[in-house]
Amino acid sequence: MVSARKILLAFSLLACACVVAVAQPSGRSERPQGPPDSDEQRIADLVSASRILVNEGVLDRFGHVTVRSLKNPTHYFMPRAMPPGLVTASDIVELDANSVAIDPNAPRTNGERFIHGEIYRVRPDVQAVVHSHSPAVIPFSIAPGRPLRPVLHMAGFLPEKVSVFDHRNVSKDDPSLRGKLMVNNAKLGAALAKTLGGDSVVLIRGHGNAVVGASLPWAVFRAVYTHLNARTQMEAITLGADVIYLNEDELKMHTVEVFDVERPWQNLKSRLPKM
Amino acid sequence: MVSARKILLAFSLLACACVVAVAQPSGRSERPQGPPDSDEQRIADLVSASRILVNEGVLDRFGHVTVRSLKNPTHYFMPRAMPPGLVTASDIVELDANSVAIDPNAPRTNGERFIHGEIYRVRPDVQAVVHSHSPAVIPFSIAPGRPLRPVLHMAGFLPEKVSVFDHRNVSKDDPSLRGKLMVNNAKLGAALAKTLGGDSVVLIRGHGNAVVGASLPWAVFRAVYTHLNARTQMEAITLGADVIYLNEDELKMHTVEVFDVERPWQNLKSRLPKM
Amino acid sequence: MVSARKILLAFSLLACACVVAVAQPSGRSERPQGPPDSDEQRIADLVSASRILVNEGVLDRFGHVTVRSLKNPTHYFMPRAMPPGLVTASDIVELDANSVAIDPNAPRTNGERFIHGEIYRVRPDVQAVVHSHSPAVIPFSIAPGRPLRPVLHMAGFLPEKVSVFDHRNVSKDDPSLRGKLMVNNAKLGAALAKTLGGDSVVLIRGHGNAVVGASLPWAVFRAVYTHLNARTQMEAITLGADVIYLNEDELKMHTVEVFDVERPWQNLKSRLPKM
Amino acid sequence: MVSARKILLAFSLLACACVVAVAQPSGRSERPQGPPDSDEQRIADLVSASRILVNEGVLDRFGHVTVRSLKNPTHYFMPRAMPPGLVTASDIVELDANSVAIDPNAPRTNGERFIHGEIYRVRPDVQAVVHSHSPAVIPFSIAPGRPLRPVLHMAGFLPEKVSVFDHRNVSKDDPSLRGKLMVNNAKLGAALAKTLGGDSVVLIRGHGNAVVGASLPWAVFRAVYTHLNARTQMEAITLGADVIYLNEDELKMHTVEVFDVERPWQNLKSRLPKM
């Protein structure tokens, strides 16, 4: 049922995979231009992204956001293991396609870096990944009869029903993985990426979620609205009535082609407290 | 059923449509007088209104409040597109009856300015409009069996059942509007204003709400209590019992004639953090 | 069923009606002594009480706390109409038994001062009254099948089922009071005091609650725990199971004789932010 | 059903009962080493622990954390009675095996110190105890049909169903204890410790919970995740569907042998506001 939409989305994402600043159709000339893309700019944005996600309540104690390298597109940048609200540019580590730090003396990064590395491996359209433990979202990962679904006008990027990754589906055939709730090796990361498929978001049972985007602004925007959508859907269910979900037409409006993510990105950045 | 009340409300609102500082009946002489009405004062109040709505948790990242111009009553004032908590007087833009900026070099305003412009067009009694994404309210917009209804002593301005605007009712006959969850053109704005009718509040399905008032203090007060009423009604429903709603007599008490909004306005202003 | 307990409570409250610093039984000598009672001390405590109730989330925008005068026990002290978090000693007004300011030039006090005045009139044991709109409590006032009941170890001062005052029971025979959701005259205040009876707390339908105590520390402590008890009871009901309420023995432990309120009072005061 | 796991847990906890800094298996060499263990270090950590638990929302107004003495393992350290967020090293009191202060001039400690003292008496593996009134957890203590159960990937330390201590089980045979909701004598403390058994957490009906650990970092980490797990489980139940709990394999992963608590401890410490 969602396949037509997914294909459209995949095309549009691929179309801009290497360009953050998408050319604007003539009618949208008022949009502020982002700075030129470069690894320096991506690292600066990664610091903003970490702080925005804390400021908006998506990341609390833990969680991490990463960005693909423009220069070495199999590599990605990740903060060292630390509270995400305190990240600065000097905390960023470059990791290779196997999630190993390029610099052998680099500080330790989070053990769950494989969530990011294995998604980058199979999703060339993805330039940025957020892994959060957003408390509004986790209940949907442990209540199988109640999938997370798009209800908010800003959440049209969500698939019609968000998939849930459960390590038990992997570990049932591999005793070495039994009980592994952390996605802290390549095999589990690859299985997670497979569950994500071509979607924008995947839940991790009892643990959190991963959100991807064609740029850091996209991934951050989606992580914020995944969180808000979950809270709203839960409260609507509390009202004890049928819930109205977004329909096909509405879901189509949230591709990178028709929605300008630079605006909420600038807005979210300007809300950051002074450092 | 609500028609008698609506007519009374419309009369009393019309009666004071051009005067913010209503003359006081003799028994209410203790009320503090507001400053004389002028566009300068309205702009100053608009800055306060934006900051109050953020301070009270009604506006978070996005949303906007506007005020009609006293000098050119078909025009209105709106902050440029920016986080509402940071608005200052220099950010205010004057828009005409078609929601086009008077100054061709004015900064961009929010694409959803048509919510405001189309309400001002058909509601001469309305001097101020708030559009928020108040998270407490949205669940009622996607749970059709559970309309938002007045339960709080301060929420007698709400209609007995708050209407929900859904673009699907417009776009089903107009393919160009399919999937448009944003109210960002005149046709959708006009349809929204029609759903609002003579009420004080209309919900926008999966998106937010619009609240109107005979002055900025009225619109702000109502936006705050729409939010609080929604939270309280939801929690009462959670208790799993019948809920007691306000009755006709109680609803009548909240017209501009019997309720002095200057007091909560001064109170809400004095709660603002120092800039 | 609760009458035995109520009588015990009434006796113990009456016994100390004019003394804030109750003499301690020998086994409790470790209790810190409060300062000597005086109207100056009561006014200083009233400022602390207002600020504590804001700091603990019981009062938000509105609401008020008052204290009986020691010198003129038919009089009481109340802050002028203003946000409760900003009250200072110079904002305190002395009101007489009919809730009229002693000083004809005194600033305006809240229109709902009759909640306080009419309770003081009929409850000589009461030295302090809190009126709040605590959002956790209001849902219990509009869900008649679900009375607020004591569940928390610190909430044994609550009656077994907290009564709800509804002006409709008064106004049904008095057309002049129809629709009056505010308790802003003596008749409604007296009816509220009658619904309170000998209890510590009464809810006001769709509006808030009133909490009384044998001193400001008692009233503040009870207002805080009424709020926390309501939140906990609501969440237990959400779990969809039977709920365990406090039993008779447990309720008895929270009289002024066996519970030392000076400790939480000092604790709550030391949590206040520096002015 | 949980007995095998409990035995394993007890063994692993006993194995490191006197050593905070556990030797690392070769594959985990990247772990930061904690400082050498000493009573001075434990007191410094106790100050951090109090402040972390306030900063993370586990302790609010009240509640306390303690640590066993390394030098006199029957003794323990506890802050004097005060708001936990304000504790400094000079507020720490040394108590003996019977919860009596060593220094007869020591300031008063909380009346519920017996929760700590009686657990230390029977659980030599326990080096630290947290007693909180975490509001997310209490509802599970008064809803007998809904035990608190592990759902979060970080909450594998929880028993499959968390036991609830109720003084009524003790006081039904001892009239002197009737109605005693506070655990403020040795008999009630011992009964609580018996209900805890070999588990990591026990709830106290209508009151709060006690969490134990092989070190302060363990106890703090567990108190934080007991709180988060409760919130998540409650919201999953709100979704009205079956809930997926952690299974045996997943529970096993959270022993001190396989989970490195030093990392979240450093993370939580670095989040503390500057004093």
Side-chain angles (χ1 to χ4, degrees):
Chain A
M1 192 159 62
V2 298
S3 59
R5 179 177 165 258
K6 279 187 183 171
I7 289 164
L8 170 68
L9 184 64
F11 264 88
S12 54
L13 287 170
L14 278 164
C16 72
C18 304
V19 220
V20 175
V22 187
Q24 291 300 303
S26 55
R28 319 243 343 246
S29 57
E30 58 186 332
R31 179 195 165 194
Q33 293 296 323
D37 197 7
S38 70
D39 278 355
E40 290 66 37
Q41 185 58 45
R42 290 184 175 208
I43 287 169
D45 284 350
L46 185 52
V47 172
S48 298
S50 282
R51 296 181 63 223
I52 288 170
L53 290 167
V54 170
N55 199 42
E56 303 298 327
V58 176
L59 300 185
D60 46 3
R61 295 152 198 84
F62 308 110
H64 19 90
V65 50
T66 63
V67 66
R68 193 189 282 280
S69 166
L70 182 65
K71 209 170 170 187
N72 297 297
T74 63
H75 293 193
Y76 64 101
F77 298 106
M78 182 174 201
R80 66 181 178 85
M82 64 180 296
L86 307 175
V87 167
T88 65
S90 66
D91 297 309
I92 306 299
V93 176
E94 184 174 350
L95 301 169
D96 70 14
N98 297 315
S99 296
V100 175
I102 302 301
D103 178 352
N105 298 317
R108 188 172 64 80
T109 52
N110 191 284
E112 296 198 305
R113 56 193 172 273
F114 300 96
I115 293 173
H116 304 262
E118 298 306 314
I119 289 174
Y120 288 125
R121 191 191 299 278
V122 298
R123 285 282 297 270
D125 60 306
V126 167
Q127 299 293 311
V129 178
V130 176
H131 170 52
S132 89
H133 306 147
S134 160
V137 178
I138 300 179
F140 289 93
S141 78
I142 60 177
R146 288 288 194 186
L148 182 67
R149 299 182 60 180
V151 295
L152 282 189
H153 75 308
M154 296 293 245
F157 59 87
L158 286 175
E160 279 193 308
K161 294 185 183 183
V162 182
S163 300
V164 180
F165 172 72
D166 189 333
H167 78 88
R168 290 180 195 168
N169 297 331
V170 185
S171 59
K172 68 181 193 294
D173 301 322
D174 181 345
S176 76
L177 297 177
R178 286 217 186 120
K180 294 271 288 180
L181 287 158
M182 310 288 266
V183 186
N184 56 7
N185 65 35
K187 185 167 183 179
L188 288 166
L192 171 70
K194 195 173 167 192
T195 306
L196 171 66
D199 287 349
S200 55
V201 180
V202 63
L203 307 193
I204 309 173
R205 193 258 301 162
H207 174 159
N209 64 84
V211 179
V212 304
S215 67
L216 274 168
W218 267 106
V220 165
F221 168 84
R222 288 170 168 182
V224 170
Y225 277 92
T226 297
H227 171 79
L228 293 173
N229 189 90
R231 179 66 55 202
T232 302
Q233 185 185 351
M234 181 180 303
E235 295 188 343
I237 288 169
T238 301
L239 291 177
D242 291 335
V243 174
I244 304 177
Y245 298 100
L246 299 195
N247 67 15
E248 288 277 329
D249 290 331
E250 291 159 355
L251 294 172
K252 272 185 202 148
M253 298 299 282
H254 265 262
T255 63
V256 290
E257 283 172 339
V258 297
F259 182 82
D260 180 4
V261 80
E262 190 67 22
R263 290 180 195 167
W265 172 251
Q266 292 301 336
N267 188 311
L268 294 170
K269 271 215 298 194
S270 65
R271 279 167 43 88
L272 285 175
K274 298 270 180 290
M275 281 195 94
Chain B
M1 192 160 60
V2 298
S3 59
R5 178 176 166 259
K6 278 187 185 172
I7 290 164
L8 170 68
L9 184 64
F11 265 87
S12 54
L13 287 171
L14 278 164
C16 70
C18 304
V19 219
V20 175
V22 188
Q24 290 301 303
S26 55
R28 318 231 1 237
S29 58
E30 58 185 333
R31 180 195 165 193
Q33 294 295 325
D37 196 8
S38 70
D39 278 355
E40 290 65 38
Q41 185 58 44
R42 290 184 175 209
I43 287 169
D45 284 350
L46 184 53
V47 172
S48 298
S50 282
R51 295 180 63 224
I52 287 171
L53 289 167
V54 171
N55 198 44
E56 304 298 327
V58 176
L59 300 185
D60 47 2
R61 294 150 201 85
F62 309 110
H64 19 90
V65 51
T66 63
V67 67
R68 192 189 284 277
S69 168
L70 182 66
K71 211 173 173 183
N72 297 295
T74 64
H75 293 194
Y76 64 101
F77 298 105
M78 181 174 202
R80 67 181 176 86
M82 64 179 297
L86 306 176
V87 167
T88 65
S90 65
D91 297 308
I92 306 299
V93 177
E94 183 175 351
L95 302 169
D96 69 14
N98 297 314
S99 297
V100 175
I102 302 301
D103 177 352
N105 298 317
R108 188 172 66 78
T109 52
N110 192 284
E112 295 198 305
R113 56 193 172 273
F114 301 95
I115 294 173
H116 305 262
E118 298 306 316
I119 290 175
Y120 288 124
R121 190 190 301 277
V122 298
R123 285 283 297 270
D125 59 306
V126 167
Q127 299 293 312
V129 178
V130 176
H131 169 53
S132 88
H133 305 145
S134 160
V137 178
I138 300 178
F140 288 94
S141 78
I142 59 176
R146 289 287 194 187
L148 182 66
R149 299 183 60 182
V151 296
L152 282 189
H153 74 308
M154 296 293 244
F157 59 87
L158 287 174
E160 279 194 309
K161 295 185 183 183
V162 182
S163 300
V164 180
F165 172 72
D166 190 333
H167 78 89
R168 290 180 195 170
N169 297 332
V170 185
S171 59
K172 69 181 191 296
D173 302 321
D174 182 345
S176 77
L177 297 176
R178 285 217 185 119
K180 293 273 286 182
L181 288 158
M182 310 289 266
V183 186
N184 55 8
N185 65 35
K187 184 167 185 180
L188 289 166
L192 171 70
K194 195 175 167 191
T195 306
L196 171 66
D199 287 348
S200 55
V201 180
V202 63
L203 307 194
I204 308 173
R205 193 258 301 162
H207 174 158
N209 64 86
V211 180
V212 304
S215 68
L216 274 168
W218 268 106
V220 165
F221 168 83
R222 288 170 168 182
V224 170
Y225 277 92
T226 297
H227 171 81
L228 294 172
N229 190 89
R231 179 66 56 202
T232 302
Q233 186 186 351
M234 182 180 301
E235 295 188 345
I237 289 170
T238 301
L239 291 177
D242 291 335
V243 174
I244 304 177
Y245 298 101
L246 299 195
N247 67 16
E248 287 278 330
D249 289 330
E250 291 158 357
L251 294 172
K252 272 185 203 148
M253 298 299 282
H254 265 261
T255 63
V256 290
E257 283 173 341
V258 297
F259 182 82
D260 179 5
V261 80
E262 190 69 17
R263 290 179 195 167
W265 171 253
Q266 292 301 336
N267 188 311
L268 294 169
K269 269 215 300 193
S270 65
R271 280 167 44 87
L272 284 175
K274 298 268 180 292
M275 280 193 95
Chain C
M1 193 161 59
V2 297
S3 59
R5 180 180 164 256
K6 280 188 184 170
I7 290 163
L8 170 68
L9 184 63
F11 265 87
S12 53
L13 287 171
L14 278 164
C16 71
C18 304
V19 221
V20 175
V22 188
Q24 289 302 302
S26 56
R28 313 221 17 228
S29 58
E30 59 184 333
R31 182 193 164 195
Q33 293 297 323
D37 197 7
S38 70
D39 278 355
E40 290 65 37
Q41 185 58 44
R42 289 184 176 210
I43 287 170
D45 284 350
L46 184 53
V47 172
S48 297
S50 281
R51 296 180 62 224
I52 287 170
L53 290 167
V54 171
N55 198 43
E56 304 298 326
V58 176
L59 300 185
D60 45 4
R61 294 152 201 83
F62 308 110
H64 19 92
V65 51
T66 62
V67 67
R68 192 189 283 279
S69 167
L70 183 65
K71 212 173 175 180
N72 297 298
T74 64
H75 293 194
Y76 64 101
F77 298 106
M78 182 175 201
R80 66 181 177 87
M82 65 178 297
L86 306 175
V87 168
T88 65
S90 65
D91 298 308
I92 306 299
V93 176
E94 184 174 349
L95 302 169
D96 70 14
N98 297 315
S99 297
V100 175
I102 301 302
D103 178 352
N105 298 316
R108 190 173 63 79
T109 52
N110 192 284
E112 295 198 305
R113 55 193 173 273
F114 300 95
I115 294 174
H116 305 262
E118 298 306 315
I119 290 175
Y120 289 125
R121 191 190 298 278
V122 298
R123 284 282 298 269
D125 59 305
V126 167
Q127 298 293 313
V129 177
V130 176
H131 169 53
S132 89
H133 306 146
S134 160
V137 177
I138 299 179
F140 288 94
S141 78
I142 59 176
R146 289 289 194 186
L148 183 67
R149 300 183 59 181
V151 295
L152 282 189
H153 74 308
M154 296 293 245
F157 58 87
L158 287 175
E160 278 193 311
K161 294 185 184 184
V162 181
S163 300
V164 180
F165 172 72
D166 190 334
H167 78 89
R168 290 181 195 169
N169 297 331
V170 185
S171 59
K172 68 180 192 296
D173 302 322
D174 181 346
S176 77
L177 297 176
R178 285 216 186 120
K180 294 271 288 180
L181 288 157
M182 310 288 267
V183 186
N184 55 8
N185 65 35
K187 184 167 185 181
L188 289 166
L192 171 71
K194 195 175 168 193
T195 306
L196 172 67
D199 286 348
S200 54
V201 180
V202 63
L203 307 194
I204 309 173
R205 192 257 303 163
H207 174 158
N209 64 86
V211 179
V212 304
S215 67
L216 274 168
W218 268 105
V220 165
F221 168 83
R222 287 169 168 182
V224 169
Y225 277 93
T226 297
H227 171 80
L228 293 173
N229 189 90
R231 179 66 56 201
T232 302
Q233 185 186 351
M234 181 180 302
E235 295 188 344
I237 288 170
T238 302
L239 291 177
D242 292 334
V243 174
I244 304 176
Y245 298 101
L246 300 194
N247 66 16
E248 287 277 332
D249 290 330
E250 291 158 357
L251 294 172
K252 273 185 204 148
M253 297 299 281
H254 264 265
T255 63
V256 290
E257 282 174 340
V258 297
F259 182 82
D260 179 4
V261 80
E262 190 68 18
R263 290 180 194 166
W265 172 251
Q266 292 302 335
N267 188 311
L268 293 170
K269 270 216 298 192
S270 64
R271 279 166 45 85
L272 285 175
K274 297 270 179 290
M275 280 193 98
Chain D
M1 192 160 60
V2 297
S3 60
R5 179 179 164 256
K6 280 187 183 171
I7 290 164
L8 170 68
L9 183 64
F11 264 88
S12 53
L13 287 171
L14 279 164
C16 72
C18 305
V19 221
V20 175
V22 188
Q24 289 301 302
S26 54
R28 316 231 4 236
S29 57
E30 57 185 332
R31 180 196 165 193
Q33 294 295 324
D37 197 6
S38 70
D39 278 354
E40 289 67 36
Q41 185 58 44
R42 289 183 176 209
I43 287 170
D45 284 351
L46 184 53
V47 172
S48 298
S50 282
R51 295 180 62 224
I52 288 170
L53 290 168
V54 171
N55 198 44
E56 303 298 327
V58 176
L59 300 185
D60 46 3
R61 294 151 201 84
F62 308 109
H64 19 91
V65 50
T66 63
V67 66
R68 192 188 283 281
S69 166
L70 183 65
K71 212 174 174 182
N72 297 297
T74 64
H75 293 193
Y76 65 100
F77 298 106
M78 182 174 201
R80 65 182 177 86
M82 64 180 296
L86 306 175
V87 167
T88 66
S90 65
D91 297 309
I92 306 298
V93 176
E94 184 174 349
L95 301 169
D96 70 14
N98 297 316
S99 298
V100 175
I102 302 302
D103 178 352
N105 299 316
R108 189 173 65 80
T109 52
N110 192 283
E112 296 199 305
R113 56 193 173 272
F114 300 95
I115 294 173
H116 304 262
E118 298 306 315
I119 291 175
Y120 288 125
R121 191 190 299 278
V122 297
R123 283 284 297 270
D125 60 305
V126 167
Q127 298 294 312
V129 177
V130 176
H131 170 52
S132 88
H133 306 147
S134 161
V137 177
I138 300 179
F140 288 94
S141 78
I142 58 176
R146 288 290 194 185
L148 182 66
R149 299 183 60 181
V151 295
L152 282 189
H153 74 307
M154 296 294 246
F157 60 87
L158 286 174
E160 279 194 309
K161 294 184 184 183
V162 181
S163 301
V164 180
F165 172 72
D166 190 334
H167 79 89
R168 290 181 195 170
N169 297 331
V170 185
S171 59
K172 68 180 193 294
D173 302 322
D174 182 345
S176 76
L177 297 176
R178 284 217 187 121
K180 294 272 287 179
L181 287 157
M182 311 287 267
V183 186
N184 55 7
N185 65 34
K187 185 167 183 180
L188 288 167
L192 171 70
K194 196 175 167 192
T195 305
L196 171 66
D199 286 348
S200 55
V201 179
V202 63
L203 307 193
I204 308 173
R205 193 258 303 162
H207 173 159
N209 64 86
V211 180
V212 303
S215 67
L216 274 168
W218 268 106
V220 165
F221 168 84
R222 287 170 168 181
V224 169
Y225 277 93
T226 298
H227 171 80
L228 293 173
N229 190 90
R231 179 66 55 203
T232 302
Q233 185 185 350
M234 181 180 303
E235 295 188 344
I237 288 169
T238 301
L239 291 177
D242 292 334
V243 174
I244 304 177
Y245 298 101
L246 299 194
N247 66 16
E248 287 278 330
D249 290 331
E250 291 158 357
L251 293 172
K252 273 185 202 149
M253 297 300 282
H254 265 263
T255 62
V256 290
E257 282 174 339
V258 297
F259 181 81
D260 180 4
V261 80
E262 190 67 24
R263 290 179 195 167
W265 172 250
Q266 292 302 336
N267 188 311
L268 293 171
K269 271 215 299 193
S270 65
R271 279 166 44 86
L272 285 175
K274 297 270 178 290
M275 280 194 98

